[in-house]
Amino acid sequence: MRIVAVEEAFSIPGAIRQEEVIRQHMAVPEEIKQEWFRRLDDLTELRLADMDANGVDVQVLSYSTPGVEVIEDPAEAVAAARRINDYLAKAVAAHPTRFAGFATLPLQDPKAAVAELRRAVEELGLKGVLYNDHVRGHYLDEPQFRPVWAELERLGVTLYLHPAVIPADNWHVFDGYPVLVGPSWGWTATTGAHALRLIYGGVFDQFPRASVMLGHMGELLPFQMARLDSRYDQVPAEHRLQHLPSYYLRNNVYVTTSGVMSHAALLGAVHAVGADRVLFSIDYPFESSAEAVAFLRSAPYAPADLARIAHGNAERILGL
């Protein structure tokens, strides 16, 4: 069975000057961090061997968090994004049957981000965008980002909304429990809330053909759909959308499996949003390719449905 994995990270040493300091403060055992960094910085030897060993045909590459969103100076962010996208496009061109890519955008300057999005897709051949949650505390439902959504819609490409390693703010409920801040819960809570801001903020009413991709089984939003709908009748009339919240989760959101190797969760996500909107992802190198592929191959689906999740949806949505 052909396998396409769609949230697979890489990095470029020195591309973002703030990156090394942020990496040093990551609350992860040093030996694990060093193995991650070794694999992030590699695009051929280690990565292709891992793909071959586990039957992964294609990785859709994206720049690892912390990304350009941590850069304060807009001009510096523009330069970094261009460098990263050029590097990624060359890597894809060198291995066109094994790699595709998501662009990074300098959203500190929305006008420049629109220009870079157009260049990345139309000139470099990248398949969409991955962004790490917030733009120095700003969220993508805000008015200054509407031209970016217009260009995403025009180009017909998706934005993968990924968690950020640096939070926009600190939640008191996490005090004393650092395990809650990151991937075990905090990232899901904040990224899922950002996606809901896009919905409730009317982004998809204004741009009905725009879409976002959410990892980690849709940051758990597929399992909250009934609750979102049941409480929607309390929303004041002047803030109502054209549809119930679940409509947008079924029509403007794609879900990937990254980091959630649970058949119960996969069954629930597919039941909630449909088999045509769920895509396989590993979250390499932060998760085990062997475990993720074993989870996929043993999923309780007929071959045709499994093939859609494994590769068909990615090929259709990303134009692979």
Side-chain angles (χ1 to χ4, degrees), residues 32-80:
I32 294 177
K33 283 199 295 186
Q34 291 309 314
E35 181 62 15
W36 284 351
F37 302 155
R38 186 171 79 101
R39 291 183 174 274
L40 284 169
D41 294 345
D42 165 84
L43 271 181
T44 53
E45 183 179 359
L46 299 173
R47 188 179 301 263
L48 288 172
D50 183 272
M51 293 168 65
D52 291 341
N54 294 291
V56 177
D57 295 278
V58 178
Q59 281 193 0
V60 182
L61 304 172
S62 52
Y63 198 82
S64 179
T65 182
V68 298
E69 76 276 0
V70 301
I71 299 173
E72 184 172 0
D73 177 47
E76 182 183 346
V78 171

Side-chain angles (χ1 to χ4, degrees), residues 50-124:
D50 183 272
M51 293 168 65
D52 291 341
N54 294 291
V56 177
D57 295 278
V58 178
Q59 281 193 0
V60 182
L61 304 172
S62 52
Y63 198 82
S64 179
T65 182
V68 298
E69 76 276 0
V70 301
I71 299 173
E72 184 172 0
D73 177 47
E76 182 183 346
V78 171
R82 288 182 64 90
R83 177 184 175 188
I84 291 166
N85 292 335
D86 287 342
Y87 180 96
L88 176 55
K90 289 179 181 178
V92 172
H95 300 276
T97 65
R98 308 305 304 276
F99 296 144
F102 284 129
T104 190
L105 293 184
L107 287 166
Q108 293 87 338
D109 181 341
K111 184 177 179 180
V114 169
E116 181 59 15
L117 171 59
R118 187 177 302 130
R119 186 184 80 93
V121 174
E122 295 185 335
E123 297 180 25
L124 302 182

